[in-house]
Amino acid sequence: MRKLATVGFVLILMLVFSLQADNFFNLRNFSELSFNAAFLGLLALGLSFVMIGGGIDLSAGGIVCVVAILCSRFSFLGTPGIVVVVFGVVCGAFFGLCNGLLVSRAGLTEFVTTLATGILYQGLGLLFAFRDTGKLSGTLVSMGITNKSYLALGGRFSALFGARGALKDFHLMTVIWIVLAVAMYFVLRRTNFGLRTYAIGSHPKAAEMSGVDIRRVKTIGFVICGAFAGLASAFLVANMSAANASLGSGYEFQAIAACVVGGIALGGGKGDAVCALIGSVFLVTILNGLYKFNIPTYWSYILQGVIIIVATVFDASFASFARRLRERRADRASGEEAMRL
Amino acid sequence: MKRAMKIIAAILAIVLATSALASCGPKESNAGTADGGATPARAGKDDGDQVPEFADDRGATPARAGKDIFTEQIKIAYITLAMAGIGNRMHELAFAEQLEFYPNVEFKFFDANYDPNNQRAQIGECITAGYDAIMIECMDTNVVGPAILEAEQAGIPVLTINQGADVLHTLHIQGSDYAAGAQAARILAEKSGGSGNAVLLDVPAEQKASGRMGTGFAETLASEFPDIKLIETQPIANWNQENANNAMRDILIKYPDAGDINIVYGVSDDVAVGAVQAIEAAGRAGEGILVYGNMGYPNGLQAVKDGRMYGTGFSDIYLEDTSSLTLALYFIATGTTSVTAGYEKTPTVDMVVTPVSPDNIELVIGASHWLQIPGAIS
């Protein structure tokens, strides 16, 4: 129901933008929109595992930054593109593991830990960035990637497989994002790990008493979150053909916003991977549509903030309404039971 | 749990296999190389005095038909580093005044919020929305390269302002960069008698590759004034006055005696004024520390006028903006891009940086247009 409401909003937005703006309803625009949504969506997808488990991860932006620099450096060794992407995923997963271990083993709070590690990862990005002398004392320089097999991964389908028709304008990252979103939906809904994630997000005490290893599930959640941030970063760098140490700043909040707007509860236990997907599309569609109306950029920030507040209020009201509905049904059922007796 | 792990592993394997297939034989690449798919090109002259040359039948792609810039509907985008900061008020003033003569031009600012990924997306948006020209202050010389190439190949001239891009594009106009830092070093060295200790409050670390005034300052001191020792270099996050203030306070604590610091160069006036505030707060304004800024923002000019700061390098933003817009309109009118003109190298034009000191401060303020912005300068 909540997901349908968001999908409805997305469709209404698209309809309005298509009718009112000249350049919204075309393949080129949907290609751009889907690429931007895919990047945000991959971050949100990873984050959904942490949020559904009742946690929060503020280090996604830092991971994007450091992985971008590492992938950029790795690609200069002439490494095949696919290996660079795998390297990005592994690095992201490693940074996620560090988060997970700090939270679950050292017992630190998620908010403070991931805030700190996010800053730390951003610093590592600066540390590993290219310098003119190759030494730490050297001046930072920007290096364009020339590794063609890696750059191809950031390109459009037409450049990769010579695809024709509707697919040719879309990016590989978009397709991977959709496939992963569907797959993660099943991971969350149909596997023991997914169900345990919901359990610790809904009621951690009850989950623990039922034998769920909370620390392990949480750690895996952080690893997945880091891996997805690494994947998004690796593809983004391939698309941009260079990495910059300022990448990633504030992305974690956009990803959290996408999750919340999509219907993943900040308190945990609600939502799924498809919610993260829808939320990302929603936010990116609004931004894309606003550009078409020549509206100053600050309005898009204001609107994004308002949307997040509205989504949170909507969630709270919707949860309250659903609870009242359940109670009323239960009352009616018990009344009918009493009548029957 | 195991089932979940198996599914995730299987999915990752599929994804990686897809990626592997994809990366095996790309039919083309969007690599940010300098040729960018452009057709054979003619060389222009190297220095900033060059006049753009046009394609002919000896190699360059025939130029697309230009637009009538007085009657046809035209859309121009300006992609900033960020919309915060006083410099943007001057951009708004300059473009608004010039566009009074072109009511048919729709002009839009895009706020990148210091994020190169935003800039990439915004260039994509400009291509989709059919903009006729893009003006951009690049966050990084390489990161937005492919997007700029795509715009150029779509027939949209891209003009980079101050912070350029390594890929081939229609025009780069730069104001205060390496030369401004070198100029500041020479002025301060002369004033201080060619010896002493210098502090550099530099650009944010992640923008070091594109903002080279600090590099110009440091290298000029090292090569031309060996008796001036650069004792501290501190990058200032977000070019922010408060951050500069804090950094300078720490430096003043580290060098507590009069004469420990003789020269301070801030890469923007916000940074330099932050340093002035820290010096004043530490009660060391009487030590004769020479603080020099860059850009000629109102706070910097005001500080020079008030005798709190020794000087600044004035870059005429108004002139730079109106020149850029004029050139953008010219490129639109003639249908010129680096592709149609067949450039081998991006033509680059340097704007003048005027040294400002107490001697000429009134003259500079009068000519600066800052007086037109309410509250900018008194």
Side-chain angles (χ1 to χ4, degrees), chain B residues 14-32:
Chain B
I14 293 167
V15 168
L16 296 178
T18 314
S19 306
L21 277 172
S23 60
C24 281
K27 297 198 170 174
E28 60 181 79
S29 164
N30 64 347

Side-chain angles (χ1 to χ4, degrees), chain A:
Chain A
M1 181 73 172
R2 172 67 172 78
K3 257 183 288 188
L4 280 178
T6 317
V7 170
F9 277 124
V10 172
L11 292 176
I12 290 168
L13 272 177
M14 287 188 167
L15 188 67
V16 170
F17 290 147
S18 300
L19 292 173
Q20 298 295 320
D22 294 337
N23 296 300
F24 186 83
F25 198 77
N26 62 57
L27 213 53
R28 155 93 216 179
N29 189 47
F30 281 116
S31 160
E32 280 297 315
L33 193 152
S34 64
F35 181 83
N36 295 334
F39 175 70
L40 179 60
L42 282 173
L43 293 181
L45 204 51
L47 189 65
S48 64
F49 281 82
V50 177
M51 283 179 66
I52 290 169
I56 194 83
D57 187 348
L58 301 177
S59 69
I63 294 177
V64 167
C65 172
V66 65
V67 170
I69 299 288
L70 289 173
C71 283
S72 166
R73 278 192 167 272
F74 197 52
S75 73
F76 273 90
L77 303 175
T79 322
I82 178 62
V83 181
V84 180
V85 173
V86 173
F87 176 73
V89 174
V90 171
C91 287
F94 171 75
F95 293 124
L97 179 66
C98 294
N99 286 340
L101 292 177
L102 283 169
V103 168
S104 61
R105 304 290 161 179
L108 304 176
T109 59
E110 290 169 10
F111 187 92
V112 175
T113 305
T114 56
L115 182 67
T117 54
I119 297 167
L120 189 150
Y121 298 148
Q122 204 100 34
L124 286 177
L126 269 175
L127 180 72
F128 296 138
F130 291 100
R131 284 161 205 278
D132 55 357
T133 59
K135 295 176 185 167
L136 275 178
S137 55
T139 301
L140 283 185
V141 291
S142 177
M143 298 279 282
I145 294 167
T146 50
N147 183 332
K148 289 197 172 179
S149 71
Y150 180 43
L151 291 170
L153 295 178
R156 292 196 165 88
F157 256 93
S158 53
L160 290 166
F161 302 115
R164 294 192 193 93
L167 252 187
K168 73 178 169 55
D169 282 326
F170 288 87
H171 295 78
L172 177 64
M173 182 165 82
T174 306
V175 178
I176 286 177
W177 164 55
I178 293 168
V179 170
L180 284 174
V182 174
M184 291 304 121
Y185 174 83
F186 287 104
V187 168
L188 277 167
R189 292 286 187 192
R190 296 274 184 272
T191 66
N192 284 339
F193 166 70
L195 297 176
R196 285 171 186 167
T197 303
Y198 281 106
I200 64 168
S202 304
H203 205 307
K205 280 276 178 215
E208 194 172 17
M209 288 168 72
S210 314
V212 175
D213 186 345
I214 292 182
R215 292 195 300 183
R216 189 166 175 225
V217 174
K218 280 211 172 238
T219 305
I220 293 173
F222 277 109
V223 170
I224 292 173
C225 186
F228 272 95
L231 183 68
S233 180
F235 274 111
L236 183 69
V237 172
N239 180 266
M240 301 207 297
S241 86
N244 182 292
S246 60
L247 272 177
S249 179
Y251 291 0
E252 59 278 3
F253 296 110
Q254 289 180 29
I256 291 169
C259 288
V260 171
V261 168
I264 296 173
L266 268 172
K270 279 181 191 157
D272 53 44
V274 175
C275 292
L277 183 143
I278 297 167
S280 311
V281 173
F282 187 88
L283 286 184
V284 172
T285 302
I286 283 188
L287 200 62
N288 184 286
L290 287 181
Y291 280 148
K292 307 283 186 284
F293 292 104
N294 212 15
I295 292 169
T297 316
Y298 51 80
W299 279 111
S300 70
Y301 297 147
I302 293 170
L303 199 63
Q304 280 183 54
V306 170
I307 287 164
I308 294 164
I309 293 169
V310 169
T312 313
V313 171
F314 180 80
D315 275 346
S317 312
F318 187 76
S320 160
F321 171 74
R323 194 179 58 247
R324 279 204 304 275
L325 203 67
R326 272 198 308 273
E327 284 169 1
R328 209 174 298 159
R329 274 183 194 156
D331 286 348
R332 201 182 305 151
S334 59
E336 282 170 6
E337 187 71 20
M339 290 277 282
R340 222 179 14 252
L341 287 172

Side-chain angles (χ1 to χ4, degrees), chain B residues 31-52:
Chain B
T33 50
D35 55 26
T39 47
R42 290 168 58 178
K45 288 178 186 172
D46 194 1
D47 296 320
D49 59 355
Q50 153 190 353
V51 177

Side-chain angles (χ1 to χ4, degrees), chain B residues 251-329:
Chain B
I251 291 169
L252 288 166
I253 291 167
K254 192 172 170 186
Y255 299 93
D257 299 323
D260 281 351
I261 300 169
N262 309 100
I263 289 170
V264 177
Y265 177 53
V267 291
S268 86
D269 283 330
D270 287 339
V271 171
V273 169
V276 168
Q277 288 171 338
I279 291 168
E280 289 171 347
R284 295 176 65 175
E287 289 180 16
I289 299 172
L290 297 171
V291 182
Y292 201 89
N294 182 45
M295 286 310 288
Y297 288 148
N299 55 356
L301 295 175
Q302 187 74 53
V304 176
K305 188 181 172 187
D306 296 342
R308 298 164 65 210
M309 193 161 99
Y310 173 65
T312 185
F314 174 71
S315 297
D316 193 336
I317 301 175
Y318 188 96
L319 179 64
E320 188 178 39
D321 285 341
T322 50
S323 304
S324 308
L325 186 53
T326 303
L327 286 164
L329 288 167

